[in-house]
Amino acid sequence: MTNTDSAALHDDREMNRLMSTMTGDEKHGPAATSTLDVLRVLYDRVLRVTPDTFDAPDRDRFLLSKGHGPMAYYAVLAAHGFFGEELLPGFGTYDSPLGHHPDRTLVPGVEIGSGSLGHGLPLAVGSVLGLRAQGLTDPRVWVLIGDAELDEGSNHEALAYAGPAGLEQLHTVVVDNTSASYARPGGIAARFEAAGWSVDTVDGRDHAALYAAFTAPHPGRPRAVVARVEPKN
């Protein structure tokens, strides 16, 4: 169910073209572009989910917690055939399924409705626990959060729980574009390490480094990858 052989690992020109068709939410443009490389690597090379298997019990789950400014998410989903790219120019309009926050009931491949910051990581923890309860230990759960979301208490509680619980199926990508209000001693990675997670910090534009970090083994521990980026306008 991997996407490794899908549509020629979409190049920069193609992804920029798809992104350019969506207008009307320019204030969240940097929030969107900061996630694009992470999303491309995940959907091109890592996630075991396709348009034919997005409701299969053994699929990987991807949760976009950073749901404001979802243009990059929509572009990547369209590039992989979850829906037709003809929907992209209608982004954010009254009758479009592609809202300013993604809606799981309207967009194929979207696992959660998101946009209110701080919900994704707790939902990912619950998803892993639900899979365990069903005896499904192969599917992996991935959640993408922003650095500022770590100011939310709900994320702190989920982070603190997941490490001691040994939620190996859980993977978190923190897109760090230095938008957080409060500094943390030792940085973001130290916070996850203190809670028992396996952690790497990489250049969030470097596809090879992202892939290596996403696929590194982490037996018995949840995995966090801090992807540091400079926002693009």
Side-chain angles (χ1 to χ4, degrees):
M1 288 200 305
T2 65
N3 287 326
T4 307
D5 58 352
S6 67
L9 299 183
H10 308 91
D11 63 21
D12 292 342
R13 181 178 299 178
E14 172 67 2
M15 296 311 302
N16 289 336
R17 181 186 69 80
L18 293 175
M19 290 279 286
S20 72
T21 65
M22 290 173 280
T23 60
D25 192 19
E26 283 73 16
K27 71 176 181 178
H28 284 134
T33 56
S34 67
T35 68
L36 181 58
D37 294 282
V38 166
L39 290 166
R40 286 175 61 187
V41 174
L42 284 174
Y43 275 90
D44 281 350
R45 304 175 65 185
V46 177
L47 291 173
R48 298 174 299 187
V49 63
T50 70
D52 295 327
T53 62
F54 74 84
D55 58 355
D58 61 345
R59 73 190 183 280
D60 285 347
R61 277 78 167 164
F62 173 77
L63 282 58
L64 181 69
S65 185
K66 188 181 171 72
H68 56 293
M71 294 84 82
Y73 188 34
Y74 292 153
V76 169
L77 288 175
H80 283 277
F82 286 88
F83 56 82
E85 68 173 80
E86 67 274 4
L87 292 179
L88 297 177
F91 162 70
T93 57
Y94 176 76
D95 58 352
S96 173
L98 306 182
H100 289 270
H101 294 170
D103 186 330
R104 65 177 297 273
T105 67
L106 298 177
V107 186
V110 171
E111 294 280 356
I112 60 171
S114 60
S116 297
L117 299 182
H119 292 173
L121 187 52
L123 287 170
V125 168
S127 297
V128 171
L129 294 176
L131 290 169
R132 280 187 170 186
Q134 298 174 74
L136 297 171
T137 57
D138 288 333
R140 301 167 299 185
V141 176
W142 292 79
V143 57
L144 189 158
I145 68 176
D147 57 315
E149 286 192 80
L150 292 177
D151 293 342
E152 301 288 343
S154 53
N155 271 337
H156 172 75
E157 292 176 6
L159 188 162
Y161 172 83
L167 301 187
E168 185 177 342
Q169 289 168 264
L170 177 61
H171 305 74
T172 297
V173 185
V174 182
V175 173
D176 179 12
N177 59 7
T178 64
S179 62
S181 300
Y182 305 106
R184 295 173 183 83
I188 293 172
R191 184 171 180 181
F192 282 90
E193 289 170 348
W197 291 58
S198 167
V199 191
D200 265 337
T201 299
V202 299
D203 180 346
R205 305 289 189 194
D206 184 332
H207 288 205
L210 287 167
Y211 178 73
F214 291 163
T215 56
H218 51 97
R221 295 194 290 168
R223 177 71 168 163
V225 176
V226 180
R228 302 184 67 175
V229 300
E230 293 293 332
K232 295 179 181 179
N233 293 321

